[in-house]
Amino acid sequence: MRALLHRMLAVCALLSIVLPGVAAAQGTTFDLAGPVLTMRVTRGAVTLPAGEVPSIRPGDRLEVKADLPADQSARYLLIVAFLRGATNPPPKDWFFKAETWDKKPKKATLAITVPEGAEQAIAFMAPETGGGYNALVKAVRGRPGVFVRAAQDLFQASLDRARLETFVGGVARIEESAPERLVPVSTALASTLAIKLDAACLSRARSLQASCLTQNRDGMVLQTGGGTTLAEVLGGTTTQFAYSLAATKEGGGGLYSPYISLARDFARLFGVFRSASYQYAPALAVGSGNRLRLQLNNPPSFQNPQTVLVAPLPPIGNGALPPLRAAMKDAVCLAQPGLTLRLDDAPLLFATGFARELRLRLGLQDGRSVELPVVADAERGGLVVSADARKLAQSAIGEAVLTGRWGFDTFTGPRFPVQNGAPSAWAAKPDDAVVVGRDAPLTLQGGAASCVEQVALRDRSGTAKPVEWKASAPDEITATLPLARVKPGDLTLLVAQYGGAAPAQLTLKGQTEASRLEGFTLYTGDKEGRLVGARLDQVAKLEVAGLTFAAAGLTRDMGGGDRLALTTVGNTETLTLGTSDAKVTLKDGRTTTVRATITPPRPRVELVSRNVEMAWRDGRLPLTLPDHALAPEARLTFSARVINTRLTPTDAIEVATADDTAAAKLTLASGKVQAVGGDVVVASFVPKETLGAAALGALKMRLVQGDMTGEWQPLARVVRLPELERLTCNAEACELRGEALFVIAATSATPDFAAAQPVPVGFVGNALAVPKPVGDTLYLKLHDAPDDVVKVGVAGK
């Protein structure tokens, strides 16, 4: 492969010597307007203009004429040739010529029947010279493969040019009429027409966007299909290598644009036919109506060698319909204004006139069939359905398929997911009862989900509120009703659909969800019991065995049930074990009963004693803390007695902060807890090491035996302490120096804090003005323990 590439490069270099200036003379864009041909094609009784004909067939009748200005001075021969393959030269009677300058219509116009066996058609515009026609016929018959590929690639490039011109024209129109819409419209055009869009242009100033989007036309047309290129033409071996190389990136071929490589290929291709009289130049033929505008990439020459323009005509054979695919998965509503049906990879449908008589054929569920006209709109990116869709009223649609003509041929497909339905078809599932007091979901089924425009809820006062909703299935929507502040009673749900029909009105029954009481459990000795059920937020209190329990914290299980904690101040130690009925009072005054179960007391622990080991730094003022307080770095050793149970090796003492942000289990098995006898345990831990940085404030403990947990019991309080270095006093005031003084809330000379001196919150200094101590003790209160008094020994200071 590497040797072949070197050989190709060498051949290309040789050609640049043999044919100096040929490649350089060819432009890479086809922006020079050339002559105009008019052409009509008749098949049977139908005649179409050239712009609507993607292909022709043997037996078709062509009427071709050059539409030249009245003051045209250069005389052109219009020649149409038919080809029958790269290796089979066409007969001489397959060439037809017209003298375009002749005033007689019959001589200036070609009326041709496509011969049987023809596979390709090509047109030439040749300056009239003596013997030029015979030279052209000889050239074509001598190398038919060259012109076969020329016709094929020029026709494809002409289609690409049509896409480019549609994009540029659309950008120009929107810039003039609605420049504020240039970004979305240009993006839609580029996607529909397979045009490379320079996204950087969209971030420029609005006045510069259009010119930026259309300035690099060489590289804007994206390839949309496969196939061979002109480089694969059947020519001499040397020429074939050169053409193949020109179509590669290494040889300079365009990555996106067909024009760059096309122009270079033609420069090499037609160089071998260059004579003293003629040189050949490619022309694109862009169809619009019955006109074929020829676009040139270089000005033609009227001096020897004069330029022969080579232009494509539609290919011969069956016109292949583009692979039309619906670019839609979710259903859309036919009654929606401006409905656009999107297609995948069908740029020629929007850039040419090949598609005709487009209709959306609807099969209705009532047995009728309706056809709606649709229009291909590149700016909207699809097929725009006629407003006649509203005439369908409320008929449901079974299927919707695109039909039309592609040139002379009819086609059917693709199918689109479209809907149309009656608002009255909606019904609430499973019933029309909704719970007020909180936002509630509601499912509606039976209608066309894509046709719903908006949903609203109207209460008894007549006030309507918008309702959030989404389509959950083609015939189902799920709405969230705003019922948090709605009272029980009848409500009206309004479902409005596209098309102007009156909204559907569904009556809903707003009800307060009744509490579902499953059971109340209380362990004797506990101050808190637990009620299980649903909608327990309505419960105010519970009464059982002469005790009243007030509602406290409400939690919700993963399964959706509620758990309500109820607390009492009464003594539960002597309650009789067993089950009985408890009276439950709801917040609205209603009462009901629930089964209450009084169980034996839970295993629990009671604190026996504790000891704190503080690591004081030398040279610091000594601090005296209450016996329940300790620093995060101190070691707390405590003993506790278990109640209502016996210790086992799998038991644990769980310690946690008051807000449960940090917790840890100290187990007998790990050795962190040791048993003394059968009912006392001794445990030791450092809060900061065991519970992390969150170990501040009150600590609590409880016994854990398998799945059974005891009540939480207070254990200690963790407080941050300042590092106090010295106290310096004069006759009037004192100064306390140290680190972390921000943890101090207030200072006082007396333990009653009668004349306390507060410390500003957020204080970050290292020296603090404090009251002069009465004796040898200064008193502090800390932010972590505002009710406790900390003593600072200042004797001798």
Side-chain angles (χ1 to χ4, degrees), residues 75-79 97-101 124-129 132-133 278:
R75 292 188 170 187
Y76 273 108
L77 284 175
L78 171 60
I79 303 169
K97 69 176 180 177
E99 298 174 348
T100 62
W101 64 89
F124 301 89
M125 291 287 287
E128 193 274 333
T129 61
Y133 172 73
Y278 277 163

Side-chain angles (χ1 to χ4, degrees), residues 133-156:
Y133 172 73
N134 292 329
L136 186 147
V137 172
K138 182 179 180 181
V140 174
R141 297 186 74 240
R143 292 280 184 89
V146 169
F147 292 94
V148 168
R149 296 308 288 162
Q152 293 173 350
D153 281 13
L154 281 173
F155 184 77
Q156 180 60 52

